[in-house]
Each structure stands twice: as C-alpha cells, then as structure tokens.
Amino acid sequence: MTAPATASVPETLEVLIVGAGFSGLAMAIRCRQAGIGPLRVIEKAADIGGTWRENTYPGAACDVPSHLYSLSFAPKADWSRMYAPQPEIQGYLRDTAERHGLMPLIQLGTAFTGATWDEARAVWHVKTDRGPLTARAIVSAMGGLHHPAYPDLPGRDAFTGPAFHTAAWDHAVDLAGKRVGVIGTGASAVQVVPELAKRAAHLTLFQRTPPWIMPKHDHAIPEATQARYRRLPFLRQLERARLFWLHELRALFGFTKVSKLTKQAEGLARHHLAKAVPERALRAKLTPNYRLGCKRVLISDEYYPALQRPNVTLETGDIARITEGGVTTADGHAHALDAIVYATGFDVTGSFTRMDLVGRDGLRLTDAWADGMGAYQGITVAGFPNYFMLLGPNTGLGHNSIISMIEVQARHVLDCLEALRKGARAIEVRPEAQARFLDRIQTRLANSIWQTGGCRSWYLDAEGRNTTLWPDSVMAYRRSARRARMADYRLG
Ligand code: N01
C-alpha cells in the first residue's frame, strides 16, 4: 500500500499519535470525535494495522473472541468466526480507519525516533526518519509486542537456509516439502505449528517450556447470526457483554493468585491434553511443571493433534547451537533443517525504552526507568509533560480483551487533552501520585501467580519485576484510570 496524500503539515500539531495499530486508530477516532486537532498519526510501516499487519504467519488469528476484540465505538456485525483470522482483523482496522476519515491524517513509512520537551514553548520537538515535527502533545500508541526477540543462541547467523521470525514472515519462502524447525511454544507457535505441519515434509518443534493449553472451540458465525447482529445491534452488544463478563469472571475469581480456580483450570487443561494425546511419553513432555496462568494461557484444538502427525517431532532437549545445516541439541543430535522459524516472542521492555525521549530538565525516559518501567495508570510519567502512553507499562492483560484497556486509556488521555484545550500549557502527573499508583500495583503483584507460579515469562523484566501486566480486573482499571483525576496532575 502506498502512503496516501497527507493533509498539509501544520506548524504545531495539537496531538501527534505514534503508531497506527489498534490503539493509535482508537485514539485518533476519539480525538476527531472530540474535535481535537490538528492531529497527525505517524506509522513506521507502509500500512496501518500494527501487530495485525506484522503478524501474517500461517494460522495467525486472535485468541480473544472477535466481538470482544474490536472497538465498542466501531462495531462490526459480520465477524466470520468466533476467533477472527488475521486478514479479517487487518481488514476491520482498515475499514474502521477509512470509515472514520483517518487515512488522510496518517503518515505511513515514518518512524518515530525520539522527542525532546521544549519547556519554554511547551511543545515536543519530535524526530522521525522523515524529518522533524512539532506537537503540543504526543500519544505513544506503539504497544509492546513489535520488536521481534531472537534467542541468543551460538551460531545463529551460521544457518544457510531461510530463517525468520513469526512476526516477520517471509512469504517468498515456500515451506512446502521442506524440513522446518520451529523454535518456541508460545501463543504464536501454537497457531503456526498446525499450519506448517500440514505443508512441511518434516517439522521439528523445539520446546523449552510446555504451555498450558485450553480448548478453543472456534467456529464460524452463521450468516443468519451475522444478519441478526446487523439488524438488531443490541443483540451484538449483548454478545459482547456476555463475552466480556465471561472473561472478566476469571479476574473476579482471583486469577492473579494461585487459588482453587488455578487448580480447577489445570484440571480442565490436563483433561484437554489427555483427551488429545493418548501416548503417555508425549503427554509427559507436554505437561507443564508450573502453575496455570503464570504464563499466558493458550487456547487451541489443533496444536496437540498436529504434534502427533507422523511428520512432526517434538524436541525437548536444550538447543546447544545453530549450525549451517540446522540445530544441534545439547545431547549432540544434529537436526538437519531447510528452514528455521523463530516463534520466540518480543522484546517488550526494549520496545518502550529504545527511543530517545527527553523530558523536562533533560530527563531521559531511560534514566527515569533505570529501575524498571512504570507509569501512572500505565499512561503518564512524571517529568514528561503532555506525553501519554497507550498500552504502556502494567496495562497488559492475561484474562480479557486488551481492547477494553485501550478504550479506558483513550478516555483518560482525552481528559488530559481537554485540559490543554481549556488553556493549560502542560499537564504532567505529580511524582507522588505516580509513586502511590506504582506502590499499589507492585504490592498487588508481589505474590501474584506471575511471580510465584514457577515460570519465567516475558511479563517479567530482567530483574524479575512485572512491569507489563495489570494485576486486576478490567473493571478495576476502568475505575482507576477512565477519568484523569486532575488532583493527580500538575497543570502548567
Ligand atoms: O512469544 P512468547 P509469542 N530456546 O514470548 C521460546 C501475543 N500474541 O510470540 O517459554 C528455546 O509467548 C520461549 O520458551 P520459554 C500474546 O500476548 C497474541 O508466542 O521462555 N525456546 C517461548 O516458548 C503473547 O503472549 C496472539 O521457555 C526459546 C517462545 O519462545 C505474545 O504475543 C497470538 C528460546 C516465546 O513465546 C507473545 O507470544 C500470538 C530459546 N533460546 C501472540 N527463547 C493472539 O492471538 C525463547 N524461546 C491475540
């Protein structure tokens, strides 16, 4: 897709939104509805869609039901399946952007590289790879899952065949009839493995930690139902509410701690495994030895059957090195491969800290976060006026749709932008409000399942602190963050 003609650049933007994925588009719609502008969205890629543009691996789909994984103010009646596949979600985001007149505001192929706060003028001087911009406020809508993480394995560059990450799929490579190695067994892997197993001559899956997997029960949504949702929107809203509360119940039953619920859920997942995998030895390899919920709980009805295909091997030995011709495991076995797929996740912390953000009095975000990421309500950071984050630290979810968090954050940011519109030059969270907030959530996180469940995951940073997940229900976040409490902010 080529960049559409963009509106002429005003001297100082009222708001610059960085990223045209789910959160950036949601924020742009909200700003337009509120009449806030001039507004611009910059996007590093050549198309909108964020994670749904980038993750095009075979089998990519959402593991949250479609009617819940969509914006409440941009509904879609005709989702084709309970869990929409990637192209349909990407299509939804494009339609939504077009329907809300966002495309002329979006500057594609423009990467945000940093910004410096100008106290005298109360503006941000923004650096992009396509030249500078000036904006009163910046909304970072970059999310945390967009810098592919590659494992630090010796010889990674030695492999002579094609090797790529699930989030950077090379569609020019035909894997049909090839010996393919997949490294990693997270959410991306459980989706891609069943698809690759169908076409590869042989697939070797390198597992370090088995995931907990629940049944998915995906199904097509009948056209009659879609038509009903179109005719009677309240039925679609009812379905959305049903799905929301079904997911939210997990939080209300205390999913953040090891509890009775954990044990019951583990029973269900074990039953799912036992039903799908009769062979005892394979089942043992696939049985997690940490508590369910410590890592993201996956859903799939196709993963276990795929692992039992005659052309699939599950390798649980440690990878010693990558060689010219494949992967050698610690037992010395050389697995000859034609291609390697890295389903090894994302550098979450790095994606927040790699940009060069310089706030008030020369404070760098990397210095403000020297002891770990943290933001008031996951949205604002003391020392960085008029800078707002969507999907910032501690706002990820393990139990419900992240879109509901984005909507809360967009509302909060809108309150702050309104304060600027009403005459404030700058709005900045008070350090004591930020500290109070972070204390509150870190106390809650201290003995959470992510800390005590016996696993390591991308939820925790290098120091073992959870700076990624919200430790409570979506409703609790809504209560905490939906409206910006002006007492917690300093207006300049
Ligand atoms: O990545 P992950 P992902 N040797 O970090 C393994 C979202 N998402 O892309 O568990 C061997 O979960 C690592 O092993 P271990 C969702 O939020 C959403 O799958 O650390 N293995 C793990 O198995 C998700 O949580 C959807 O021991 C190595 C895997 O790589 C997030 O994206 C779909 C290794 C990485 O798993 C990330 O999921 C897909 C090594 N050296 C993704 N290094 C939806 O449907 C790493 N691994 C919404």
Side-chain angles (χ1 to χ4, degrees), residues 3 7 37 42-43 54 58 76 79 88 109 120 134 189 315 345 357-358 368 382 389 410 423 472 482:
I42 57 172
E43 164 57 54
E54 269 169 48
K76 173 172 155 71
W79 287 109
E88 191 174 1
T134 307
E315 173 58 61
L357 199 70
V358 185
M389 277 176 286
D472 207 331
R482 195 170 131 71

Side-chain angles (χ1 to χ4, degrees), residues 61-63 151 184-188 191 208-209 295-296 343-346 458:
C62 191
D63 59 12
T185 52
S188 304
Q191 294 182 343
R208 187 163 67 181
T209 314
K295 284 170 175 286
R296 186 179 172 93
T344 42
F346 300 88
W458 63 262

Side-chain angles (χ1 to χ4, degrees), residues 51-52 55 57 60-64 69 145 149-153 165-166 183-191 206-211 216 290 295-296 298 319 342-346 397 456-459:
T51 198
W52 295 104
N55 286 276
Y57 57 81
C62 191
D63 59 12
V64 175
Y69 196 84
L145 300 173
Y150 292 88
D152 191 14
L153 292 167
H165 194 277
T166 43
I183 302 179
T185 52
S188 304
V190 302
Q191 294 182 343
F206 296 91
Q207 169 188 281
R208 187 163 67 181
T209 314
K216 184 165 186 183
Y290 57 91
K295 284 170 175 286
R296 186 179 172 93
L298 309 183
I319 297 174
Y342 290 98
T344 42
F346 300 88
L397 287 184
R456 88 184 123 175
S457 73
W458 63 262
Y459 296 154

Side-chain angles (χ1 to χ4, degrees), residues 149-375:
Y150 292 88
D152 191 14
L153 292 167
R156 199 164 62 75
D157 296 330
F159 186 65
T160 51
F164 45 86
H165 194 277
T166 43
W169 198 263
D170 187 344
H171 290 276
V173 177
D174 182 6
L175 295 176
K178 301 262 165 52
R179 296 165 302 174
V180 182
V182 176
I183 302 179
T185 52
S188 304
V190 302
Q191 294 182 343
V192 78
V193 162
E195 290 306 312
L196 289 186
K198 288 181 204 160
R199 56 187 88 163
H202 194 90
L203 189 152
T204 309
L205 176 61
F206 296 91
Q207 169 188 281
R208 187 163 67 181
T209 314
W212 282 103
I213 302 181
M214 292 289 215
K216 184 165 186 183
H217 301 311
D218 189 17
H219 56 84
I221 298 177
E223 282 190 11
T225 309
Q226 297 177 23
R228 246 195 325 272
Y229 287 156
R230 240 189 321 264
R231 253 194 344 268
L232 305 166
F234 78 93
L235 285 182
R236 181 190 43 71
Q237 283 158 3
L238 217 60
E239 171 64 357
R240 185 183 173 94
R242 182 187 75 83
L243 292 167
F244 177 83
W245 284 106
L246 210 63
H247 287 73
E248 191 73 340
L249 273 182
R250 301 178 197 165
L252 303 179
F253 280 115
F255 79 112
T256 57
K257 297 251 165 67
V258 176
S259 66
K260 262 199 209 136
L261 182 72
T262 316
K263 217 169 167 177
Q264 281 166 5
E266 286 172 356
L268 285 175
R270 275 210 190 88
H271 179 68
H272 180 50
L273 172 62
K275 239 174 73 186
V277 182
E279 192 200 322
R280 191 185 283 252
L282 180 61
R283 206 163 63 227
K285 285 183 179 180
L286 291 169
T287 303
N289 64 353
Y290 57 91
R291 304 312 301 264
L292 180 143
C294 183
K295 284 170 175 286
R296 186 179 172 93
V297 180
L298 309 183
I299 53 171
S300 177
D301 299 327
E302 296 171 341
Y303 180 70
Y304 290 144
L307 298 187
Q308 293 165 89
R309 292 174 63 114
N311 66 330
V312 175
T313 307
L314 177 70
E315 173 58 61
T316 55
D318 285 345
I319 297 174
R321 79 190 80 88
I322 311 271
T323 62
E324 262 180 39
V327 166
T328 302
T329 37
D331 59 3
H333 186 120
H335 299 262
L337 301 171
D338 301 314
I340 298 179
V341 170
Y342 290 98
T344 42
F346 300 88
D347 174 14
V348 180
T349 311
S351 67
F352 287 107
T353 52
R354 69 181 68 210
M355 71 227 163
D356 184 25
L357 199 70
V358 185
R360 205 165 33 74
D361 303 326
L363 177 66
R364 285 179 185 276
L365 189 64
T366 39
D367 292 331
W369 283 355
D371 295 328
M373 307 190 287

